Amino acid sequence: MTTIDLHRLTGAYALHALSDEENASFERHLVGCEPCTQETAELSATAARLGLAVTAPAYPALREQVLRRITTVRQDTPGTPLRVLPERAGLKARLLSRWALAAFLAAAAALGGTTVWQHQQAADARAEARQASRSADEIAAVLAAPDARTRATELAGGATGTVVVSHSRDRAVFVVSGMARPPGGKVYQLWFDDGGTMRPAGLMDPDRRDQAVLMQGDVDRASGMGVTVEPGGGSKQPTTTPLALMAFPG
């Protein structure tokens, strides 16, 4: 498999559609390729948000049309500039190649694919990629669980947050869009609300406005969740007034 081939596997990796061998090769490639890392994270976030959207039955011919058109649309290599086209070609033509893959991701999600991949900076990027893949599998399982229930709320600054709870898996996922960066040296921390007692449930990535976070720990008997601003590294108990408190969906 050539390097050029690897550049074109971002969408398939985001949807967990690679073989074991291809998956391992692409994860090694991600260690030294920032454009692919960025594109993979963006496509995975898109797939995650589509997984939370209201679903509607796809018409019978959709799958065949998508599979047929995939063979005729070329994916651009991440990080390469778009070719300059004549002005008469119009904005739609200039943007087609960049957005073609996103359109196929949307179609794949409508056919039942829901995955998300969380990328975090770490000294050992290869180990981090494997850990992120395991986390993505668990997030996808929660989102796709038959008993998954959601509840949304508005956060400060126009951000929106949605919690997805699966009692059969005893796990919860928090999906946020448009989150402002926390103050310097601070992080957003998630909490389980155990009947008024707040239990730590992990930290959000302060550098990402849109993200899906697998809450750490079991849901157990928690009745809801909260979000606070805490010192870097998090706290054992909340030290600030919650930005949001959400009851879990019934």
Side-chain angles (χ1 to χ4, degrees):
M1 182 178 294
T2 67
T3 301
I4 294 178
D5 291 332
L6 290 170
H7 282 309
R8 302 183 191 281
L9 293 181
T10 53
Y13 183 80
L15 291 177
H16 288 199
L18 299 178
S19 67
D20 291 343
E21 180 181 358
E22 290 172 332
N23 195 74
S25 297
F26 187 74
E27 287 182 351
R28 289 193 294 270
H29 171 69
L30 283 177
V31 175
C33 185
E34 181 59 28
C36 281
T37 294
Q38 179 66 25
E39 181 165 287
T40 301
E42 291 173 354
L43 292 175
S44 298
T46 298
R49 294 178 67 182
L50 287 168
L52 294 176
V54 176
T55 59
Y59 58 90
L62 177 60
R63 182 175 184 275
E64 287 73 20
Q65 291 180 10
V66 170
L67 294 177
R68 183 172 63 252
R69 292 186 62 191
I70 283 175
T71 64
T72 65
V73 179
R74 179 180 178 182
Q75 178 187 342
D76 284 345
T77 300
T80 59
L82 291 175
R83 291 181 293 115
V84 178
L85 299 178
E87 186 174 353
R88 291 180 59 187
L91 181 61
K92 182 177 180 180
R94 292 196 298 271
L95 293 180
L96 176 61
S97 59
R98 174 168 290 181
W99 291 105
L101 183 58
F104 290 133
L105 277 175
L111 293 170
T114 51
T115 64
V116 63
W117 184 80
Q118 292 181 296
H119 172 73
Q120 300 174 338
Q121 295 296 328
D124 188 344
R126 183 179 302 175
E128 189 66 25
R130 292 196 181 99
Q131 177 61 36
S133 180
R134 287 192 292 269
S135 179
D137 289 340
E138 185 62 28
I139 289 174
V142 173
L143 297 180
D147 67 334
R149 299 292 183 269
T150 67
R151 176 158 292 167
T153 189
E154 292 186 2
L155 303 173
T160 58
T162 301
V163 63
V164 185
V165 180
S166 168
H167 288 287
S168 66
R169 302 194 66 85
D170 205 19
R171 303 304 298 271
V173 171
F174 185 62
V175 181
V176 66
S177 176
M179 196 73 169
R181 185 181 180 89
K186 303 289 186 179
V187 294
Y188 293 118
Q189 185 164 357
L190 305 180
W191 306 87
F192 283 115
D193 183 355
D194 293 331
T197 300
M198 306 304 283
R199 170 165 48 101
L203 306 177
M204 297 173 58
D205 186 336
D207 296 322
R208 297 184 61 186
R209 290 175 56 83
D210 304 328
Q211 56 188 296
V213 184
L214 178 67
M215 297 181 66
Q216 295 180 7
D218 298 334
V219 172
D220 198 16
R221 298 182 180 179
S223 58
M225 63 160 293
V227 184
T228 62
V229 177
E230 301 295 336
S235 304
K236 293 183 178 180
Q237 295 293 329
T239 63
T240 62
T241 302
L243 299 175
L245 290 172
M246 301 172 60
F248 283 157

